[in-house]
Amino acid sequence: MDRLRRLTARDHELLSWLAEHYVLATAQIAAAQFPSLRAARLRLAVLSALQAVTRFVDVTSGDRQYLYTLGPLGAVLYPTQYNDPLRADGREPRSNVERTERIIGSRKLGHLIGTNQLFIDLHAYARTDPNARVHRWWSEQHATAVYAGVPAAADGPSIRPDGHGIWEAGGRQVGFFLEHDNGTETIGTVLRKLQAYDRLTAHGGPHYPVLLRVPGRRREQHLLDVLAGTRLAIPVATGIHQEHPAGPAWTLTHDPGLRRWLHELPSDHGPDHPITNPHRYSDSSAGTQ
């Protein structure tokens, strides 16, 4: 009980993130929640001692910073179905240690960190702007599960976004699906993914932009060239990993002459229908477009 009383609201927010999104780096946690890296390190050391989080050294990036997952106490407070980054339907781990080992050993570890970075950047931006807010941050497995049973899935593969979010800034609210592209997928694979989003919209789902976030300009230009001649009902926007996602980082494939802020992208929550558009976002306090 004493350990529970020592947890703050900020600690609980972090634990809920780790329950759904598996892993976050020290620098990511600092940017999203703390005034400085030093403050983050001090608090994370306390959370580690309380067994709220488990930490291990990142050997994939070369900077050897700590990465954090749920600890035994965190797993009790935030039991989760997101136990294996590779298999949503995999056997439930026997312990929190096994869950952590699956994350550490996952070939998707780097991809998870990269995907989470976009949302961390948005949370960090919202700390500097009282009118900005991340309303929703769903993991790949969460978003995939929500849309797996909609009518659009009967006509072909359902969507499997790397992440889904709803962002508010500049008086606008924008939903989006994220495809974190490391340049390893073929253009054909990218097109098949976009066709799944098109089917979702055509069957009464949300009309959200798909963000293709790529490692560099060359990959981005290649995608823009190919998608310029592709008919899609959904808006698609490209962006670069290194650019801040809240800012003028996005190029709409159907209008590539201007780089737009995230909140300027076209977006519609879609019809209010529990079958075709489950978990439709609604917030009467903010304008939806």
Side-chain angles (χ1 to χ4, degrees):
M1 249 341 245
D2 181 61
R3 289 191 297 169
L4 293 180
R5 284 194 291 267
R6 294 176 64 183
L7 296 178
T8 67
R10 180 174 59 192
D11 297 334
H12 281 282
E13 179 182 56
L14 173 60
L15 296 180
S16 71
W17 289 351
L18 294 176
E20 175 156 349
H21 305 290
Y22 295 107
V23 60
L24 290 169
T26 305
Q28 291 178 324
I29 296 168
Q33 291 192 313
F34 289 87
S36 69
L37 187 59
R38 181 177 183 274
R41 285 172 173 158
L42 290 172
R43 187 59 189 170
L44 288 168
V46 172
L47 293 179
S48 182
L50 293 173
Q51 295 189 308
V53 299
T54 296
R55 67 185 184 183
F56 56 95
V57 175
D58 180 12
V59 297
T60 64
S61 63
D63 57 16
R64 300 191 66 80
Q65 68 175 319
Y66 279 121
L67 301 179
Y68 291 85
T69 63
L70 279 182
L73 177 62
V76 169
L77 294 173
Y78 293 89
T80 176
Q81 61 189 343
Y82 307 115
N83 292 312
D84 191 327
L86 295 177
R87 292 192 58 191
D89 59 348
R91 174 182 58 80
E92 188 171 341
R94 291 185 291 268
S95 66
N96 179 258
V97 172
E98 184 179 341
R99 180 181 186 268
T100 298
E101 288 175 344
R102 291 185 189 182
I103 297 169
I104 295 171
S106 173
R107 65 176 183 270
K108 293 186 69 173
L109 179 60
H111 190 269
L112 283 170
I113 295 170
T115 296
N116 291 345
Q117 186 64 54
L118 177 138
F119 293 93
I120 289 296
D121 287 342
L122 294 180
H123 275 285
Y125 182 92
R127 294 179 64 214
T128 69
D129 183 347
N131 297 312
R133 183 182 172 192
V134 180
H135 287 280
R136 179 184 283 174
W137 175 14
W138 283 1
S139 65
E140 174 188 340
Q141 291 187 3
H142 189 162
T144 298
V146 165
Y147 293 106
V150 300
D155 290 348
S158 62
I159 66 169
R160 295 186 62 89
D162 293 318
H164 160 53
I166 294 175
W167 170 244
E168 183 176 354
R172 293 194 71 241
Q173 202 176 84
V174 173
F176 62 87
F177 295 114
L178 172 64
E179 292 289 342
H180 182 77
D181 184 313
N182 284 324
T184 57
E185 292 184 329
T186 66
I187 295 298
T189 298
V190 174
L191 290 175
R192 285 190 291 273
K193 287 183 175 183
L194 294 178
Q195 289 164 1
Y197 290 108
D198 246 17
R199 286 194 300 273
L200 178 65
T201 296
H203 283 80
H207 194 80
Y208 291 152
V210 178
L211 308 183
L212 299 178
R213 205 170 193 219
V214 301
R217 294 281 181 216
R218 180 183 233 172
R219 173 73 167 176
E220 180 185 37
Q221 191 57 55
H222 186 33
L223 285 169
L224 288 172
D225 291 343
V226 171
L227 294 174
T230 304
R231 293 175 62 86
L232 293 168
I234 52 164
V236 178
T238 61
I240 308 296
H241 290 180
Q242 291 77 20
E243 294 185 338
H244 199 291
W250 303 103
T251 299
L252 286 167
T253 57
H254 68 270
D255 186 14
L258 177 67
R259 295 189 84 79
R260 291 170 168 81
W261 289 64
L262 180 57
H263 69 265
E264 295 175 334
L265 297 180
S267 175
D268 191 314
H269 294 309
D272 188 3
H273 194 289
I275 302 301
T276 65
N277 196 10
H279 299 281
R280 180 188 185 276
Y281 189 81
S282 177
D283 184 353
S284 59
S285 67
T288 58
Q289 297 188 37

